[in-house]
Amino acid sequence: MIAELTIDLDAIVRNARALAALIAPARLAAVVKADAYGHGLVPVARALAPHVDRLCVYALEEAVALRDASLDCPLHVLGPVPAADLDIAHAAGVALTLWDDATYARQAASVARRRRSPFAIQAKIDTGVARLGLPYARASAALAAYAATPEFDLRGAFTHFAAAEELDSSFTDEQLARFLGATRELAGGVERHAAATAAAMLWPQTRLDLVRAGIGLYGIWPSTQTETTMRGRGLVLEPALTWRTRIVAEHAVEPGASVGYGRSWRAERPTRVGTLPIGYAEGLPRNAGGAATVLVRGQRAPLIGRVCMDMAFIDLTDVPGALAGDGVTLIGRDGSTTISADDLGAACGTIGYEIVARLPAAVPRRYEGGPGA
Ligand SMILES: *Cc1c(COP(=O)(O)O)cnc(C)c1O
C-alpha cells in the first residue's frame, strides 16, 4: 500500500439524510460527477440511489458506467453530450440537458423520432454564471418550444448560482428572480431547480422543487461561511474520505542542507526528514510543500521542500519517536487532530472540491459500510 483512500459510505448516506431533512419538502438529487468528487462513482452511487430522487453526472460516460453497474435510478447528465453520442444517451434513458443550441436540439429530436420514444429533457437557463444555458431574457420562448416538441418530454428547467456560498451576496436573489421570471409560464408538471449545496443551506428560497447537492454529501462544506452558519444551526456533516500513507524513509539532515528539487527548502536546525511515497501524481498538490501539514502520531508535521511527482518530504523533528513505517494522515483524523479536505485545499491556495476531485481514480479506494454491509 502506497496510499490508502478509505470511504465511509454510511457517512455519505447520513449526510444525504441530513441534507434531505434540511430541504424538505424539496427533493434531493445527488451530484456524483468527477468520480463522485473523487470518492468513487459506482460504490457511492449505489449507496446513495435508494435515498435520493435521482443522480446527476456530468458526462455521458459516467451515466453509462452506472447503467453497466445495473443502477436503474433516474439519471440527469448535466454536461453536454456530443451529438454523435445522443443515441447512446437515449438508450441509457438519461435526462439530457439542453441549452440555447437549436441545431443540437434538432439533432436530439431526430434521435428520439428514430428511436420512437421521447427524450427526457432538462432545460438549462443561464442567469449569471455565463457558462452554459439559455440566456434568461429569452429563455421563456425556448422553453415553450421545447415543451411543444413532441419528441421531447420536458421534465424540468434549472439554473446554477455564481456566488451562493457567500452570505453577503445579493446576486443570488437577482439570479433567482431571473430564473423565476424565465420559467413563469412553464406548465405545472415541469419541475424547477436551482440550488446546489451552498444555496440550499444559506438561501432557503432557492430550494424550489429539488436541490442538486454534491459537496455536502461527502461531508465537505462549500465554504467557511456555510460551515459557520450551518453548524450554528445544528447541521452535522461527516467527512467521508480519509487519505493515509506511510513514512517510507526517515533520515537526519544538518543545518544548511537542502531537501528536494530546486533546493527550495534548507534546514535551519538539525532536522529529521521523513519521505512519503506519494506526490502530485497521487493527488498531492505540488505547492503543498512549505504550505500544508500532515498528521503523524497525532501531531502535525509540515510538508517541506517541493512535492515531487511520486514522493514528498515532511519535517519530523517535532514528532518524538517518529519512524519509517509510521502512518501519515493527509485528510482525516489522528488522535484529537483532524485535517479536512478544505484545510489541505486552503493551504495549497485552492478549495476542498479541487483536492478530492483530483484524487486519481487509479489510487485504490477501500469502502466501509454501504448497502452490502
Ligand atoms: C457540481 C454541480 C452541482 C453541485 O454543486 P455542490 O456545490 O457540489 O453542491 C449542482 N449543479 C450543477 C449544475 C453542478 O455543476
Side-chain angles (χ1 to χ4, degrees), residues 97-100 122-130 132-140 142-143 156-161 175 178-184 186 192-193:
T97 296
L98 288 187
W99 57 102
D100 61 338
Q122 291 278 349
K124 184 155 195 196
I125 300 175
D126 175 30
T127 56
V129 181
L132 191 65
L134 294 155
Y136 69 93
R138 47 188 180 79
S140 107
L143 289 176
F158 71 109
T159 192
H160 195 57
F161 294 115
Q175 284 192 272
R178 291 171 179 176
F179 180 64
L180 294 177
T183 57
R184 197 169 35 222
L186 273 183
R192 292 184 291 180
H193 46 113

Side-chain angles (χ1 to χ4, degrees), residues 30-45:
V31 181
V32 293
K33 65 190 181 192
D35 200 27
Y37 291 52
H39 292 59
L41 175 63
V42 170
V44 169

Side-chain angles (χ1 to χ4, degrees), residues 33-337:
K33 65 190 181 192
D35 200 27
Y37 291 52
H39 292 59
L41 175 63
V42 170
V44 169
R46 207 170 261 143
L48 280 172
H51 304 280
V52 297
D53 185 82
R54 78 194 63 165
L55 301 175
C56 299
V57 295
Y58 176 73
L60 178 61
E61 288 73 12
E62 298 167 313
V64 170
L66 293 177
R67 292 295 186 236
D68 287 348
S70 303
L71 272 125
D72 57 6
C73 59
L75 295 179
H76 174 189
V77 180
L78 297 168
V81 172
D85 294 337
L86 284 168
D87 269 275
I88 300 171
H90 191 276
V94 304
L96 183 71
T97 296
L98 288 187
W99 57 102
D100 61 338
D101 185 336
T103 307
Y104 184 67
R106 273 196 299 278
Q107 288 166 321
S110 106
V111 166
R113 201 155 45 242
R114 185 156 36 74
R115 297 181 54 88
R116 296 170 194 283
S117 85
F119 231 130
I121 297 299
Q122 291 278 349
K124 184 155 195 196
I125 300 175
D126 175 30
T127 56
V129 181
R131 194 167 64 170
L132 191 65
L134 294 155
Y136 69 93
R138 47 188 180 79
S140 107
L143 289 176
Y146 291 160
T149 303
E151 292 87 352
F152 292 161
D153 171 10
L154 182 62
R155 300 272 178 86
F158 71 109
T159 192
H160 195 57
F161 294 115
E165 65 288 340
E166 295 161 25
L167 286 175
D168 50 1
S169 168
S170 56
F171 192 59
T172 300
D173 274 328
E174 174 69 33
Q175 284 192 272
L176 180 63
R178 291 171 179 176
F179 180 64
L180 294 177
T183 57
R184 197 169 35 222
E185 277 149 34
L186 273 183
V190 182
E191 66 186 14
R192 292 184 291 180
H193 46 113
T197 304
M201 288 177 171
L202 298 181
W203 307 79
Q205 68 274 33
T206 64
R207 293 173 190 159
L208 306 179
D209 295 317
L210 175 121
V211 166
R212 305 179 309 268
I215 200 81
L217 294 171
Y218 308 101
I220 301 170
W221 297 92
S223 63
T224 47
Q225 298 198 339
T226 50
E227 177 169 6
T228 311
T229 307
M230 299 311 293
R231 273 191 199 274
R233 292 183 198 159
L235 181 67
V236 176
L237 294 180
E238 300 170 57
L241 179 145
T242 304
W243 188 14
R244 292 207 166 87
T245 185
R246 282 186 191 284
I247 299 172
V248 282
E250 185 255 327
H251 47 268
V253 299
E254 293 303 320
S258 67
V259 164
Y261 289 131
R263 310 189 67 204
S264 66
W265 188 89
R266 284 165 200 259
E268 284 169 6
R269 57 176 179 170
T271 302
R272 285 189 306 119
V273 176
T275 304
L276 306 186
I278 62 169
Y280 56 82
E282 284 73 31
L284 184 62
R286 184 166 178 270
N287 64 359
T293 61
V294 300
L295 300 176
V296 178
R297 299 188 177 216
Q299 309 227 34
R300 287 187 185 278
L303 281 148
I304 55 173
R306 281 189 199 147
V307 171
C308 312
M309 188 180 288
D310 297 300
M311 292 204 209
F313 313 93
I314 55 178
D315 183 345
L316 291 169
T317 315
D318 299 324
V319 185
L323 293 170
D326 280 0
V328 174
T329 302
L330 294 116
I331 297 175
R333 168 177 290 273
D334 181 4
S336 58
T337 313

